[in-house]
Amino acid sequence: MGRTYIVEETVGQYLSNISLQGKAFVSGLLIGQCSSQKDYVILASRTPPKEEQNENLKHPKAQLDNVDEEWTTEHANQVSRMLPGGLVVLGVFIITTLELANDFQNALRRLVFAVEKSVCRKRLWNFTEEEVSERVALHICSSTKKIVCRTYDVHDPKSSARPADWKYQNGLSASWLSLEGTVHINIHIPLSTTSISYTLEKNTKNGLTRWAKQIENGVYLINGQVKDEDCDLLEGQKKSSRGNTQASGHSFDVRVLTQLLLSSDHRSTATVQICSGSVNLKGAVKCRAYLHSSKPKVKDAVQAVKRDILNTVADRCEILFEDLLLNEMPEKKDSEKEFHILPHRVFVPIPGSAVMLCDYKFGDESAEEIRDHFIEMLDHMIKIEDLEIAEDINTACVSSVNNEALMDNMDEKQPKQPIKSTILKIQQNIGVIAAFAVAVLAAGISFHYFSD
């Protein structure tokens, strides 16, 4: 038996209101949450059309076999940055005037795999063996209104389509649980001269991978308590008159204890390397995650928070590199440092839902620009007064040694660019950034207490 997708009714209304306007098809992303029993779809977002794209309306079937995978995956990359912990891109949808032909089914299958591969490429975490690896491909025929829902196991390149159930439910995420906290980070990343051929992006990600292990192995306090991972997250909560747990609008405070570098049963060692620079990430990171209210487990809540911490730090690093590339940062003199005002995380609610999505805001960006970016990426109307700036302004310092421009202190990295055409250009040119540096690694045993 295939998987069941429980879908917010507003998603169905959104899909039914999409007009092809003479186009061969319209495609987009399905956003939601996976669980062991079923998946939840709370949002659908149409992929923005390319401005330079001129479709041949006289031969719509020919267009169906030529879905722009690169453009769709770029949209998926941008949208995945806007998802807090617990939410993922579950798959893709496509609306056509024709029934689903076999050739086009293969194209849709390739699109599902391409999207998943793209959004996973820069993650600092991996899926566990217990997690669901199926992603959905939804086809809607605009003329007959027929819906075909299939899933593919993205961990198996040879997997074939499996039928799945698509069921609507009103107010699906209105009672979802939120988990919030602030993590203060101070990450020192040495850049070795032996990695001179690597981009700054790759060197930084290698350093973040080491830090990610600390986050993964941390101790997570939920409302000040350490709970068994197999316990019900709502255990001990008040019951309603009907005997159900009152979960609507419930928020949990999360604090993190991390061990520095090595555990106590390992020897502490030091590695000395020639150093010409380093990357230091400092600042307060606002993390937020969401969980369905149907018997949620503590381990699911902790996992969602961990991934939000890792995602938001990695995303801001990537955004900073993109911004430096676009603005062609000049080389600095020896030992010179340059400080930058870095972006804060901005949240915005989904109408009728307890869930909020996020974006990243430059200090000189207006609220109107952030709103327009939300509208462009998500294809949903956003009100300026609903924007919630969750973080204070932080600074970044750029230092260089031997006339090589290097990033030294990046408090809270830079935000994403709202222009679609920039996205593709960035990926084509990101490799031109190179950095040289190294550091002294000292292994010590201590704890940092992260709290608001």
Side-chain angles (χ1 to χ4, degrees):
M1 184 175 179
R3 290 192 64 75
T4 297
Y5 287 84
I6 307 300
V7 187
E8 174 64 59
E9 277 193 358
T10 55
V11 172
Q13 296 169 5
Y14 171 80
L15 294 174
S16 64
N17 290 335
I18 292 179
S19 173
L20 296 181
Q21 296 179 336
K23 298 178 182 178
F25 65 89
V26 169
S27 63
L29 307 174
L30 298 170
I31 299 163
Q33 187 168 103
C34 296
S35 73
S36 57
Q37 300 298 323
K38 61 190 71 172
D39 291 347
Y40 303 91
V41 181
I42 65 170
L43 195 69
S45 298
R46 175 172 50 184
T47 298
K50 280 187 176 181
E51 294 180 1
E52 71 275 12
Q53 188 174 25
N54 295 315
E55 297 193 61
N56 185 349
L57 303 182
K58 295 182 179 180
H59 303 283
K61 191 177 188 307
Q63 295 295 326
L64 296 180
D65 300 328
N66 191 27
V67 178
D68 193 334
E69 292 182 17
E70 184 179 18
W71 189 253
T72 303
T73 55
E74 288 298 341
H75 180 224
N77 288 335
Q78 292 291 308
V79 170
S80 65
R81 288 177 177 177
M82 308 174 82
L83 304 182
L87 296 186
V88 295
V89 176
L90 291 174
V92 300
F93 72 83
I94 194 156
I95 302 174
T96 70
T97 56
L98 305 173
E99 294 287 350
L100 194 60
N102 290 333
D103 291 343
F104 188 54
Q105 180 179 325
N106 293 331
L108 193 56
R109 180 186 185 278
R110 291 194 304 271
L111 190 62
V112 170
F113 277 83
V115 166
E116 182 66 16
K117 181 179 180 181
S118 181
V119 297
C120 289
R121 184 166 49 90
K122 296 183 179 181
R123 284 177 180 163
L124 295 176
W125 50 270
N126 297 314
F127 285 107
T128 63
E129 294 181 357
E130 296 80 15
E131 287 186 85
V132 176
S133 59
E134 290 185 66
R135 293 294 179 262
V136 64
L138 181 74
H139 174 253
I140 301 175
C141 178
S142 62
S143 56
T144 65
K145 305 301 180 183
K146 180 181 178 181
I147 294 179
V148 177
C149 183
R150 294 187 173 100
T151 62
Y152 298 92
D153 184 351
V154 291
H155 289 176
D156 179 11
K158 298 181 180 179
S159 70
S160 56
R162 298 183 61 191
D165 291 329
W166 185 264
K167 299 180 179 179
Y168 290 107
Q169 179 179 319
N170 186 35
L172 173 63
S173 58
S175 61
W176 278 22
L177 313 176
S178 67
L179 301 105
E180 302 181 23
T182 301
V183 176
H184 299 276
I185 63 172
N186 188 358
I187 309 167
H188 181 75
I189 302 174
L191 303 174
S192 172
T193 49
T194 59
S195 61
I196 188 172
S197 61
Y198 293 170
T199 63
L200 179 58
E201 180 184 31
K202 183 174 181 179
N203 277 306
T204 303
K205 184 178 180 180
N206 290 340
L208 287 178
T209 300
R210 294 189 291 271
W211 164 76
K213 294 179 180 178
Q214 298 178 50
I215 298 298
E216 289 284 1
N217 297 327
V219 176
Y220 289 74
L221 309 180
I222 299 178
N223 288 344
Q225 298 180 337
V226 177
K227 297 185 177 182
D228 185 272
E229 64 176 16
D230 292 321
C231 286
D232 191 328
L233 180 63
L234 296 173
E235 188 177 282
Q237 303 297 319
K238 292 182 179 180
K239 302 284 185 177
S240 66
S241 57
R242 296 183 179 182
N244 298 321
T245 302
Q246 295 179 339
S248 179
H250 200 101
S251 178
F252 294 86
D253 174 70
V254 179
R255 303 189 181 191
V256 189
L257 290 170
T258 65
Q259 191 174 17
L260 192 62
L261 293 181
L262 296 178
S263 59
S264 57
D265 58 348
H266 287 80
R267 288 184 55 129
S268 177
T269 59
T271 301
V272 179
Q273 297 174 310
I274 303 171
C275 182
S276 59
S278 64
V279 174
N280 195 39
L281 312 180
K282 295 180 61 179
V285 174
K286 184 73 173 181
C287 60
R288 189 173 293 181
Y290 295 92
L291 205 61
H292 64 83
S293 54
S294 177
K295 298 181 180 180
K297 296 293 183 181
V298 170
K299 62 181 179 182
D300 298 325
V302 170
Q303 178 178 270
V305 172
K306 287 181 181 179
R307 292 177 177 179
D308 187 62
I309 297 171
L310 299 178
N311 286 346
T312 189
V313 171
D315 287 343
R316 295 182 216 209
C317 279
E318 183 181 15
I319 291 163
L320 175 61
F321 301 143
E322 294 175 358
D323 183 64
L324 294 177
L325 227 177
L326 290 173
N327 292 286
E328 298 180 353
M329 184 187 69
E331 292 185 350
K332 302 299 170 185
K333 298 178 181 179
D334 289 357
S335 301
E336 185 177 347
K337 296 182 179 181
E338 179 181 352
F339 289 89
H340 297 271
I341 299 298
L342 296 170
H344 7 261
R345 202 174 189 184
V346 180
F347 289 92
V348 67
I350 300 175
S353 171
V355 176
M356 301 184 80
L357 303 180
C358 69
D359 202 350
Y360 298 95
K361 179 183 180 298
F362 283 106
D364 59 353
E365 278 189 303
S366 66
E368 288 79 8
E369 289 177 289
I370 298 299
R371 177 201 60 192
D372 292 345
H373 189 221
F374 271 112
I375 294 174
E376 181 183 38
M377 291 294 104
L378 301 176
D379 195 34
H380 289 271
M381 293 304 300
I382 301 295
K383 296 180 181 179
I384 292 180
E385 55 266 30
D386 289 335
L387 296 177
E388 174 192 328
I389 299 178
E391 298 166 340
D392 296 326
I393 294 177
N394 293 278
T395 60
C397 169
V398 176
S399 69
S400 64
V401 179
N402 297 330
N403 291 325
E404 295 294 341
L406 299 173
M407 255 88 4
D408 187 296
N409 280 339
M410 297 187 292
D411 260 45
E412 294 262 40
K413 294 129 254 118
Q414 305 238 48
K416 81 173 52 166
Q417 295 293 325
I419 304 174
K420 301 189 299 295
S421 58
T422 303
I423 300 169
L424 296 178
K425 180 181 178 183
I426 288 167
Q427 285 205 331
Q428 293 166 358
N429 295 300
I430 194 69
V432 303
I433 303 179
F436 316 72
V438 200
V440 177
L441 295 179
I445 308 300
S446 64
F447 283 91
H448 281 232
Y449 186 66
F450 296 153
S451 62
D452 287 321

